[in-house]
Amino acid sequence: MLRLAAVLVTPEMGKGAPPGVDPAEFLLALAEDTYEIVAGLDLVEPVILAAGVDGLDDLAWPGTRVIALSGSAGPAEAFAALQPYGEEAVVISGDAPDLPPLLIGKLFRELGRAPIAVCPAADGGAVAMAARLPFPEWASAGFDDPDVVVRLRGQAPGSRMVATGPGWHRLRGPGDIARLDPGLEGWENTRALLSA
């Protein structure tokens, strides 16, 4: 079974830059760190989904697909762009540079019992969403929908069609920087930018 792990990068992700840090540089640091997480996973193909952000090809390892998205870049569009390349996919928000790879693996495991699995964000929305491809037509909640799991479960045609894994956090505002754990490995680019 071909599995994909895709990092979704949107211009809004630079808005979490703390004072004194260039939002464009912050966005690229977050995206690169999040990409490094998926590129290091075994048995999955890494992908970058660029929704209105240029220059992401420079972050990718050779052979990594960088797919340009237009429009709202919600889950339906993201998973539709991935459908030709795999059978299951996880789309990770590009503003989660310290996401433990284990949480991505847990989402793939949940797809064994449900067509959609969500890693909820600590302050609402989703850090990552997994789905069997093609993405279910009944699902229309976005990554920033505060009650994404409740909404998806309300749309599902049956119970147990939306699974959840452990939650995590995203860096959506300057105050979210405090959520980064200096003791965790990874997020080198974000760490370097914040300590400059």
Side-chain angles (χ1 to χ4, degrees), residues 129-156:
M129 191 178 298
R132 296 182 206 146
L133 301 176
F135 190 67
E137 292 181 10
W138 49 261
S140 67
F143 286 96
D144 291 321
D145 186 322
D147 297 315
V148 62
V149 173
V150 171
R151 183 164 174 181
L152 286 170
R153 286 182 173 159
Q155 295 167 345

PDB file of all heavy atoms in Angstrom, residues 129-156:
ATOM      1  N   MET A 129      -4.467  15.516   9.356  1.00  0.00           N
ATOM      2  CA  MET A 129      -5.647  14.736   9.023  1.00  0.00           C
ATOM      3  C   MET A 129      -5.212  13.625   8.074  1.00  0.00           C
ATOM      4  O   MET A 129      -4.440  13.869   7.147  1.00  0.00           O
ATOM      5  CB  MET A 129      -6.695  15.627   8.355  1.00  0.00           C
ATOM      6  CG  MET A 129      -8.054  14.989   8.204  1.00  0.00           C
ATOM      7  SD  MET A 129      -9.282  16.119   7.448  1.00  0.00           S
ATOM      8  CE  MET A 129      -9.344  17.441   8.647  1.00  0.00           C
ATOM      9  N   ALA A 130      -5.689  12.423   8.332  1.00  0.00           N
ATOM     10  CA  ALA A 130      -5.374  11.272   7.484  1.00  0.00           C
ATOM     11  C   ALA A 130      -6.648  10.773   6.839  1.00  0.00           C
ATOM     12  O   ALA A 130      -7.734  10.897   7.411  1.00  0.00           O
ATOM     13  CB  ALA A 130      -4.743  10.152   8.318  1.00  0.00           C
ATOM     14  N   ALA A 131      -6.495  10.214   5.645  1.00  0.00           N
ATOM     15  CA  ALA A 131      -7.670   9.670   4.952  1.00  0.00           C
ATOM     16  C   ALA A 131      -7.260   8.588   3.989  1.00  0.00           C
ATOM     17  O   ALA A 131      -6.153   8.598   3.435  1.00  0.00           O
ATOM     18  CB  ALA A 131      -8.407  10.780   4.197  1.00  0.00           C
ATOM     19  N   ARG A 132      -8.192   7.663   3.810  1.00  0.00           N
ATOM     20  CA  ARG A 132      -8.064   6.733   2.688  1.00  0.00           C
ATOM     21  C   ARG A 132      -8.444   7.517   1.440  1.00  0.00           C
ATOM     22  O   ARG A 132      -9.340   8.370   1.478  1.00  0.00           O
ATOM     23  CB  ARG A 132      -9.026   5.559   2.859  1.00  0.00           C
ATOM     24  CG  ARG A 132      -8.736   4.701   4.061  1.00  0.00           C
ATOM     25  CD  ARG A 132      -9.731   3.531   4.111  1.00  0.00           C
ATOM     26  NE  ARG A 132      -9.895   3.083   5.484  1.00  0.00           N
ATOM     27  CZ  ARG A 132     -11.008   2.620   5.991  1.00  0.00           C
ATOM     28  NH1 ARG A 132     -12.100   2.544   5.245  1.00  0.00           N
ATOM     29  NH2 ARG A 132     -11.055   2.213   7.237  1.00  0.00           N
ATOM     30  N   LEU A 133      -7.767   7.227   0.356  1.00  0.00           N
ATOM     31  CA  LEU A 133      -8.050   7.947  -0.891  1.00  0.00           C
ATOM     32  C   LEU A 133      -8.939   7.117  -1.799  1.00  0.00           C
ATOM     33  O   LEU A 133      -8.758   5.907  -1.879  1.00  0.00           O
ATOM     34  CB  LEU A 133      -6.725   8.291  -1.575  1.00  0.00           C
ATOM     35  CG  LEU A 133      -5.791   9.163  -0.726  1.00  0.00           C
ATOM     36  CD1 LEU A 133      -4.470   9.375  -1.426  1.00  0.00           C
ATOM     37  CD2 LEU A 133      -6.437  10.492  -0.380  1.00  0.00           C
ATOM     38  N   PRO A 134      -9.910   7.737  -2.461  1.00  0.00           N
ATOM     39  CA  PRO A 134     -10.199   9.169  -2.483  1.00  0.00           C
ATOM     40  C   PRO A 134     -10.822   9.653  -1.168  1.00  0.00           C
ATOM     41  O   PRO A 134     -11.472   8.898  -0.459  1.00  0.00           O
ATOM     42  CB  PRO A 134     -11.184   9.324  -3.638  1.00  0.00           C
ATOM     43  CG  PRO A 134     -11.878   8.001  -3.721  1.00  0.00           C
ATOM     44  CD  PRO A 134     -10.843   6.980  -3.321  1.00  0.00           C
ATOM     45  N   PHE A 135     -10.623  10.955  -0.902  1.00  0.00           N
ATOM     46  CA  PHE A 135     -11.155  11.587   0.300  1.00  0.00           C
ATOM     47  C   PHE A 135     -12.680  11.511   0.256  1.00  0.00           C
ATOM     48  O   PHE A 135     -13.294  11.766  -0.772  1.00  0.00           O
ATOM     49  CB  PHE A 135     -10.697  13.049   0.325  1.00  0.00           C
ATOM     50  CG  PHE A 135     -10.961  13.757   1.610  1.00  0.00           C
ATOM     51  CD1 PHE A 135     -10.306  13.397   2.779  1.00  0.00           C
ATOM     52  CD2 PHE A 135     -11.847  14.818   1.661  1.00  0.00           C
ATOM     53  CE1 PHE A 135     -10.539  14.071   3.971  1.00  0.00           C
ATOM     54  CE2 PHE A 135     -12.081  15.504   2.853  1.00  0.00           C
ATOM     55  CZ  PHE A 135     -11.427  15.120   4.007  1.00  0.00           C
ATOM     56  N   PRO A 136     -13.313  11.141   1.368  1.00  0.00           N
ATOM     57  CA  PRO A 136     -14.773  11.005   1.376  1.00  0.00           C
ATOM     58  C   PRO A 136     -15.492  12.302   0.986  1.00  0.00           C
ATOM     59  O   PRO A 136     -15.158  13.379   1.486  1.00  0.00           O
ATOM     60  CB  PRO A 136     -15.084  10.628   2.829  1.00  0.00           C
ATOM     61  CG  PRO A 136     -13.823  10.034   3.354  1.00  0.00           C
ATOM     62  CD  PRO A 136     -12.714  10.766   2.650  1.00  0.00           C
ATOM     63  N   GLU A 137     -16.462  12.184   0.113  1.00  0.00           N
ATOM     64  CA  GLU A 137     -17.206  13.360  -0.364  1.00  0.00           C
ATOM     65  C   GLU A 137     -18.007  14.026   0.743  1.00  0.00           C
ATOM     66  O   GLU A 137     -18.293  15.214   0.667  1.00  0.00           O
ATOM     67  CB  GLU A 137     -18.134  12.958  -1.515  1.00  0.00           C
ATOM     68  CG  GLU A 137     -17.393  12.566  -2.769  1.00  0.00           C
ATOM     69  CD  GLU A 137     -18.335  12.207  -3.902  1.00  0.00           C
ATOM     70  OE1 GLU A 137     -19.554  12.440  -3.771  1.00  0.00           O
ATOM     71  OE2 GLU A 137     -17.846  11.694  -4.917  1.00  0.00           O
ATOM     72  N   TRP A 138     -18.380  13.291   1.779  1.00  0.00           N
ATOM     73  CA  TRP A 138     -19.210  13.858   2.837  1.00  0.00           C
ATOM     74  C   TRP A 138     -18.416  14.761   3.780  1.00  0.00           C
ATOM     75  O   TRP A 138     -18.992  15.513   4.552  1.00  0.00           O
ATOM     76  CB  TRP A 138     -19.895  12.760   3.644  1.00  0.00           C
ATOM     77  CG  TRP A 138     -18.999  11.646   4.118  1.00  0.00           C
ATOM     78  CD1 TRP A 138     -18.837  10.417   3.536  1.00  0.00           C
ATOM     79  CD2 TRP A 138     -18.146  11.640   5.275  1.00  0.00           C
ATOM     80  NE1 TRP A 138     -17.935   9.665   4.247  1.00  0.00           N
ATOM     81  CE2 TRP A 138     -17.500  10.381   5.323  1.00  0.00           C
ATOM     82  CE3 TRP A 138     -17.863  12.564   6.268  1.00  0.00           C
ATOM     83  CZ2 TRP A 138     -16.590  10.039   6.326  1.00  0.00           C
ATOM     84  CZ3 TRP A 138     -16.958  12.237   7.262  1.00  0.00           C
ATOM     85  CH2 TRP A 138     -16.336  10.976   7.278  1.00  0.00           C
ATOM     86  N   ALA A 139     -17.092  14.715   3.727  1.00  0.00           N
ATOM     87  CA  ALA A 139     -16.270  15.466   4.680  1.00  0.00           C
ATOM     88  C   ALA A 139     -15.933  16.854   4.145  1.00  0.00           C
ATOM     89  O   ALA A 139     -15.374  16.977   3.063  1.00  0.00           O
ATOM     90  CB  ALA A 139     -14.987  14.693   4.967  1.00  0.00           C
ATOM     91  N   SER A 140     -16.260  17.890   4.925  1.00  0.00           N
ATOM     92  CA  SER A 140     -15.980  19.240   4.444  1.00  0.00           C
ATOM     93  C   SER A 140     -15.405  20.171   5.501  1.00  0.00           C
ATOM     94  O   SER A 140     -15.363  21.374   5.298  1.00  0.00           O
ATOM     95  CB  SER A 140     -17.251  19.863   3.854  1.00  0.00           C
ATOM     96  OG  SER A 140     -18.209  20.072   4.872  1.00  0.00           O
ATOM     97  N   ALA A 141     -14.947  19.673   6.623  1.00  0.00           N
ATOM     98  CA  ALA A 141     -14.361  20.530   7.656  1.00  0.00           C
ATOM     99  C   ALA A 141     -12.920  20.865   7.297  1.00  0.00           C
ATOM    100  O   ALA A 141     -12.209  20.061   6.712  1.00  0.00           O
ATOM    101  CB  ALA A 141     -14.413  19.835   9.005  1.00  0.00           C
ATOM    102  N   GLY A 142     -12.487  22.070   7.654  1.00  0.00           N
ATOM    103  CA  GLY A 142     -11.131  22.513   7.352  1.00  0.00           C
ATOM    104  C   GLY A 142     -10.185  22.350   8.520  1.00  0.00           C
ATOM    105  O   GLY A 142     -10.603  22.106   9.655  1.00  0.00           O
ATOM    106  N   PHE A 143      -8.898  22.523   8.252  1.00  0.00           N
ATOM    107  CA  PHE A 143      -7.878  22.382   9.288  1.00  0.00           C
ATOM    108  C   PHE A 143      -8.033  23.408  10.404  1.00  0.00           C
ATOM    109  O   PHE A 143      -7.653  23.153  11.537  1.00  0.00           O
ATOM    110  CB  PHE A 143      -6.476  22.513   8.673  1.00  0.00           C
ATOM    111  CG  PHE A 143      -6.061  21.312   7.892  1.00  0.00           C
ATOM    112  CD1 PHE A 143      -6.232  21.268   6.521  1.00  0.00           C
ATOM    113  CD2 PHE A 143      -5.504  20.215   8.527  1.00  0.00           C
ATOM    114  CE1 PHE A 143      -5.862  20.158   5.801  1.00  0.00           C
ATOM    115  CE2 PHE A 143      -5.137  19.091   7.811  1.00  0.00           C
ATOM    116  CZ  PHE A 143      -5.317  19.066   6.437  1.00  0.00           C
ATOM    117  N   ASP A 144      -8.576  24.578  10.083  1.00  0.00           N
ATOM    118  CA  ASP A 144      -8.730  25.619  11.095  1.00  0.00           C
ATOM    119  C   ASP A 144     -10.131  25.676  11.691  1.00  0.00           C
ATOM    120  O   ASP A 144     -10.427  26.557  12.497  1.00  0.00           O
ATOM    121  CB  ASP A 144      -8.348  26.980  10.503  1.00  0.00           C
ATOM    122  CG  ASP A 144      -6.857  27.066  10.227  1.00  0.00           C
ATOM    123  OD1 ASP A 144      -6.071  26.550  11.040  1.00  0.00           O
ATOM    124  OD2 ASP A 144      -6.480  27.632   9.188  1.00  0.00           O
ATOM    125  N   ASP A 145     -10.996  24.740  11.317  1.00  0.00           N
ATOM    126  CA  ASP A 145     -12.331  24.657  11.916  1.00  0.00           C
ATOM    127  C   ASP A 145     -12.144  24.324  13.399  1.00  0.00           C
ATOM    128  O   ASP A 145     -11.565  23.299  13.743  1.00  0.00           O
ATOM    129  CB  ASP A 145     -13.139  23.558  11.218  1.00  0.00           C
ATOM    130  CG  ASP A 145     -14.575  23.502  11.678  1.00  0.00           C
ATOM    131  OD1 ASP A 145     -14.831  23.712  12.881  1.00  0.00           O
ATOM    132  OD2 ASP A 145     -15.434  23.231  10.842  1.00  0.00           O
ATOM    133  N   PRO A 146     -12.590  25.194  14.314  1.00  0.00           N
ATOM    134  CA  PRO A 146     -12.329  24.977  15.741  1.00  0.00           C
ATOM    135  C   PRO A 146     -12.827  23.630  16.264  1.00  0.00           C
ATOM    136  O   PRO A 146     -12.216  23.054  17.151  1.00  0.00           O
ATOM    137  CB  PRO A 146     -13.055  26.125  16.439  1.00  0.00           C
ATOM    138  CG  PRO A 146     -13.508  27.062  15.396  1.00  0.00           C
ATOM    139  CD  PRO A 146     -13.375  26.400  14.074  1.00  0.00           C
ATOM    140  N   ASP A 147     -13.936  23.149  15.714  1.00  0.00           N
ATOM    141  CA  ASP A 147     -14.515  21.872  16.153  1.00  0.00           C
ATOM    142  C   ASP A 147     -14.449  20.855  15.021  1.00  0.00           C
ATOM    143  O   ASP A 147     -15.442  20.208  14.695  1.00  0.00           O
ATOM    144  CB  ASP A 147     -15.955  22.077  16.611  1.00  0.00           C
ATOM    145  CG  ASP A 147     -16.062  22.989  17.813  1.00  0.00           C
ATOM    146  OD1 ASP A 147     -15.264  22.808  18.759  1.00  0.00           O
ATOM    147  OD2 ASP A 147     -16.922  23.880  17.817  1.00  0.00           O
ATOM    148  N   VAL A 148     -13.281  20.694  14.440  1.00  0.00           N
ATOM    149  CA  VAL A 148     -13.137  19.866  13.241  1.00  0.00           C
ATOM    150  C   VAL A 148     -13.624  18.433  13.459  1.00  0.00           C
ATOM    151  O   VAL A 148     -14.316  17.879  12.607  1.00  0.00           O
ATOM    152  CB  VAL A 148     -11.682  19.910  12.711  1.00  0.00           C
ATOM    153  CG1 VAL A 148     -10.698  19.346  13.713  1.00  0.00           C
ATOM    154  CG2 VAL A 148     -11.573  19.199  11.374  1.00  0.00           C
ATOM    155  N   VAL A 149     -13.317  17.844  14.586  1.00  0.00           N
ATOM    156  CA  VAL A 149     -13.712  16.444  14.820  1.00  0.00           C
ATOM    157  C   VAL A 149     -15.224  16.340  14.968  1.00  0.00           C
ATOM    158  O   VAL A 149     -15.864  15.471  14.361  1.00  0.00           O
ATOM    159  CB  VAL A 149     -12.985  15.863  16.052  1.00  0.00           C
ATOM    160  CG1 VAL A 149     -13.519  14.477  16.389  1.00  0.00           C
ATOM    161  CG2 VAL A 149     -11.477  15.814  15.807  1.00  0.00           C
ATOM    162  N   VAL A 150     -15.818  17.238  15.746  1.00  0.00           N
ATOM    163  CA  VAL A 150     -17.274  17.240  15.935  1.00  0.00           C
ATOM    164  C   VAL A 150     -17.972  17.443  14.591  1.00  0.00           C
ATOM    165  O   VAL A 150     -18.954  16.757  14.262  1.00  0.00           O
ATOM    166  CB  VAL A 150     -17.689  18.322  16.947  1.00  0.00           C
ATOM    167  CG1 VAL A 150     -19.195  18.490  16.993  1.00  0.00           C
ATOM    168  CG2 VAL A 150     -17.139  17.999  18.321  1.00  0.00           C
ATOM    169  N   ARG A 151     -17.460  18.368  13.813  1.00  0.00           N
ATOM    170  CA  ARG A 151     -18.081  18.653  12.521  1.00  0.00           C
ATOM    171  C   ARG A 151     -17.981  17.453  11.572  1.00  0.00           C
ATOM    172  O   ARG A 151     -18.965  17.086  10.931  1.00  0.00           O
ATOM    173  CB  ARG A 151     -17.428  19.881  11.892  1.00  0.00           C
ATOM    174  CG  ARG A 151     -18.078  20.270  10.598  1.00  0.00           C
ATOM    175  CD  ARG A 151     -17.693  21.652  10.194  1.00  0.00           C
ATOM    176  NE  ARG A 151     -18.231  21.913   8.865  1.00  0.00           N
ATOM    177  CZ  ARG A 151     -18.064  23.015   8.207  1.00  0.00           C
ATOM    178  NH1 ARG A 151     -17.363  23.984   8.743  1.00  0.00           N
ATOM    179  NH2 ARG A 151     -18.573  23.171   7.025  1.00  0.00           N
ATOM    180  N   LEU A 152     -16.803  16.849  11.491  1.00  0.00           N
ATOM    181  CA  LEU A 152     -16.652  15.680  10.620  1.00  0.00           C
ATOM    182  C   LEU A 152     -17.543  14.524  11.070  1.00  0.00           C
ATOM    183  O   LEU A 152     -18.163  13.860  10.245  1.00  0.00           O
ATOM    184  CB  LEU A 152     -15.188  15.234  10.578  1.00  0.00           C
ATOM    185  CG  LEU A 152     -14.236  16.104   9.767  1.00  0.00           C
ATOM    186  CD1 LEU A 152     -12.789  15.689  10.020  1.00  0.00           C
ATOM    187  CD2 LEU A 152     -14.569  16.015   8.281  1.00  0.00           C
ATOM    188  N   ARG A 153     -17.612  14.302  12.366  1.00  0.00           N
ATOM    189  CA  ARG A 153     -18.460  13.210  12.865  1.00  0.00           C
ATOM    190  C   ARG A 153     -19.931  13.492  12.588  1.00  0.00           C
ATOM    191  O   ARG A 153     -20.694  12.571  12.320  1.00  0.00           O
ATOM    192  CB  ARG A 153     -18.205  12.981  14.351  1.00  0.00           C
ATOM    193  CG  ARG A 153     -16.883  12.289  14.596  1.00  0.00           C
ATOM    194  CD  ARG A 153     -16.607  12.000  16.038  1.00  0.00           C
ATOM    195  NE  ARG A 153     -15.396  11.196  16.164  1.00  0.00           N
ATOM    196  CZ  ARG A 153     -14.672  11.106  17.253  1.00  0.00           C
ATOM    197  NH1 ARG A 153     -15.041  11.750  18.354  1.00  0.00           N
ATOM    198  NH2 ARG A 153     -13.585  10.370  17.273  1.00  0.00           N
ATOM    199  N   GLY A 154     -20.311  14.763  12.620  1.00  0.00           N
ATOM    200  CA  GLY A 154     -21.687  15.128  12.289  1.00  0.00           C
ATOM    201  C   GLY A 154     -22.002  14.930  10.819  1.00  0.00           C
ATOM    202  O   GLY A 154     -23.148  14.676  10.448  1.00  0.00           O
ATOM    203  N   GLN A 155     -21.006  15.051   9.955  1.00  0.00           N
ATOM    204  CA  GLN A 155     -21.197  14.873   8.516  1.00  0.00           C
ATOM    205  C   GLN A 155     -21.133  13.408   8.095  1.00  0.00           C
ATOM    206  O   GLN A 155     -21.667  13.034   7.055  1.00  0.00           O
ATOM    207  CB  GLN A 155     -20.110  15.640   7.748  1.00  0.00           C
ATOM    208  CG  GLN A 155     -20.175  17.126   7.924  1.00  0.00           C
ATOM    209  CD  GLN A 155     -18.920  17.822   7.421  1.00  0.00           C
ATOM    210  OE1 GLN A 155     -17.881  17.206   7.190  1.00  0.00           O
ATOM    211  NE2 GLN A 155     -19.005  19.135   7.247  1.00  0.00           N
ATOM    212  N   ALA A 156     -20.465  12.588   8.885  1.00  0.00           N
ATOM    213  CA  ALA A 156     -20.239  11.186   8.516  1.00  0.00           C
ATOM    214  C   ALA A 156     -21.550  10.420   8.413  1.00  0.00           C
ATOM    215  O   ALA A 156     -22.450  10.612   9.232  1.00  0.00           O
ATOM    216  CB  ALA A 156     -19.330  10.518   9.538  1.00  0.00           C
TER     217      ALA A 156
END
